[in-house]
Amino acid sequence: MQRICVIGGSRYFGKLLVKRLRDAGHQVTVINRGSTPPPAGVEHLVVDRNDETALTAALDSRTFDVVVDQVCYTPVQAAIAVRAFAGRTRRYVMTSTIEVYDPATAALPAVPPGTPVPEENVDPATWRAVMDLPWHDDAYLQAHYAEGKRQAEAVFARADGFAFASVRSAHVLGGGAQEFTGRLAHYVGRIGTGEEVTVHAQALPTVFIHYEELADLLLWAATAEFTGPVNACSDGPLDVRDLGAVIAAQAGREPVYRVVAAGEEASPFSFDRHYAMSNARAKELGFSFSRTADWLPGAVAEALTTEPSPTA
């Protein structure tokens, strides 16, 4: 049994992670702002992780074997966490994202299309963190999501006092209404009703992961000993037309595609640039991934039976 703190953990794969940690016999503490209570048997600290004074007070004398941070988006948040958890944990795991590799958001080493992107393409130990950018502005943060994650990783990577690992998640699908981004629902809704789906002329593949598999990987990462980033994606990249074909097979309706002009925005998961990840490092460390083609039909079936979100 380990003492594990989860920051966030109130929805989707984070909520599932908390349950699986508890069911595995760990002593779990959840820190969030209180919108959703944790499951029975889990300690709940209601506090805003952005308020350093309140966070430190809420932690009191608690110590942990591991902290799993599900909701760190900026270097400012990372710096607060480094100070608050100094001397309180031996290991810190941050949930990061495939978006750190997006070449449209930073000057990154070029990777030829078809070559899976390895972790070393973005080294947090060498990345610059800039604290005085307007990270507290929601619009700025949304527009600089990838850079915020890169800089947050950089702050943790330079921290003393605990080992640090980051899990760079692929696009997460599955769970029907639990998939709050509405991206899969966007495709299911439009293909099912015969509406056009906007795509790039030469849409490139990307990678995905099922939300249950990501929860499993985060549990594994929390209790392992590796440090540094690991990519988290199921085997088998897919492009937007591959995704459309799986949906069409269940919806009984062929997709209607409209090719956008260069520079025009397309539907989510249609990409005109390559940054599909390699999962080789996680495999070498001992994690076994599923195949996207095996679980995607089930995720589509869930989406087909889910009431559409107003924002989808």
Side-chain angles (χ1 to χ4, degrees):
M1 181 186 75
Q2 296 194 56
R3 291 166 297 177
I4 300 179
C5 175
V6 178
I7 306 177
S10 63
R11 61 181 179 177
Y12 207 24
F13 59 85
K15 187 175 182 179
L16 182 58
L17 169 65
V18 170
K19 291 179 180 177
R20 292 195 172 173
L21 288 168
R22 178 202 63 185
D23 294 348
H26 299 295
Q27 181 180 324
V28 185
T29 297
V30 166
I31 294 175
N32 58 36
R33 290 179 293 185
S35 60
T36 304
V42 172
E43 182 184 35
H44 191 195
L45 301 182
V46 179
V47 64
D48 185 345
R49 59 98 38 84
N50 297 308
D51 186 333
E52 185 172 351
T53 301
L55 177 60
T56 303
L59 288 170
D60 195 23
S61 61
R62 292 172 179 82
T63 59
F64 306 98
D65 295 296
V66 187
V67 175
V68 182
D69 195 339
Q70 296 281 80
V71 289
C72 188
Y73 302 107
T74 75
V76 174
Q77 290 177 322
I80 289 172
V82 166
R83 292 189 293 268
F85 286 95
R88 296 182 189 272
T89 187
R90 63 172 182 80
R91 180 170 175 79
Y92 203 104
V93 179
M94 173 190 155
T95 303
S96 191
T97 172
I98 184 177
E99 302 303 331
V100 301
Y101 300 116
D102 185 353
T105 63
L108 300 172
V111 178
T115 302
V117 181
E119 286 85 354
E120 53 263 32
N121 245 47
V122 176
D123 181 359
T126 63
W127 204 264
R128 185 182 177 215
V130 184
M131 299 296 181
D132 58 358
L133 295 172
W135 294 116
H136 298 292
D137 181 85
D138 288 342
Y140 181 87
L141 180 56
Q142 184 175 0
H144 296 83
Y145 171 73
E147 183 60 16
K149 285 288 192 179
R150 284 188 288 259
Q151 292 195 24
E153 286 192 44
V155 171
F156 284 122
R158 292 181 176 90
D160 294 323
F162 51 69
F164 172 64
S166 60
V167 173
R168 293 171 176 171
S169 171
H171 307 293
V172 189
L173 299 178
Q178 294 182 72
E179 198 276 283
F180 60 91
T181 69
R183 292 176 295 185
L184 184 57
H186 168 89
Y187 285 96
V188 168
R190 297 188 79 83
I191 292 173
T193 57
E195 295 178 79
E196 65 181 23
V197 176
T198 54
V199 298
H200 295 99
Q202 293 183 319
L204 296 172
T206 189
V207 285
F208 300 91
I209 191 167
H210 192 274
Y211 82 106
E212 291 185 2
E213 185 166 38
L214 182 54
D216 288 339
L217 189 142
L218 286 164
L219 188 154
W220 166 77
T223 54
E225 296 297 329
F226 70 87
T227 58
V230 293
N231 295 335
C233 57
S234 302
D235 290 333
L238 301 174
D239 65 29
V240 65
R241 293 178 186 267
D242 296 326
L243 176 63
V246 175
I247 297 170
Q250 296 191 52
R253 195 158 193 167
E254 287 302 309
V256 179
Y257 294 114
R258 179 175 68 83
V259 175
V260 300
E264 185 181 345
E265 186 175 355
S267 295
F269 305 141
S270 180
F271 295 98
D272 59 357
R273 55 204 184 275
H274 170 72
Y275 57 108
M277 300 186 298
S278 165
N279 60 14
R281 182 172 192 239
K283 288 180 177 178
E284 291 168 358
L285 290 167
F287 191 83
S288 297
F289 289 96
S290 67
R291 295 177 66 250
T292 306
D294 291 337
W295 57 256
L296 184 56
V300 169
E302 289 176 317
L304 282 165
T305 58
T306 299
E307 286 295 319
S309 165
T311 60

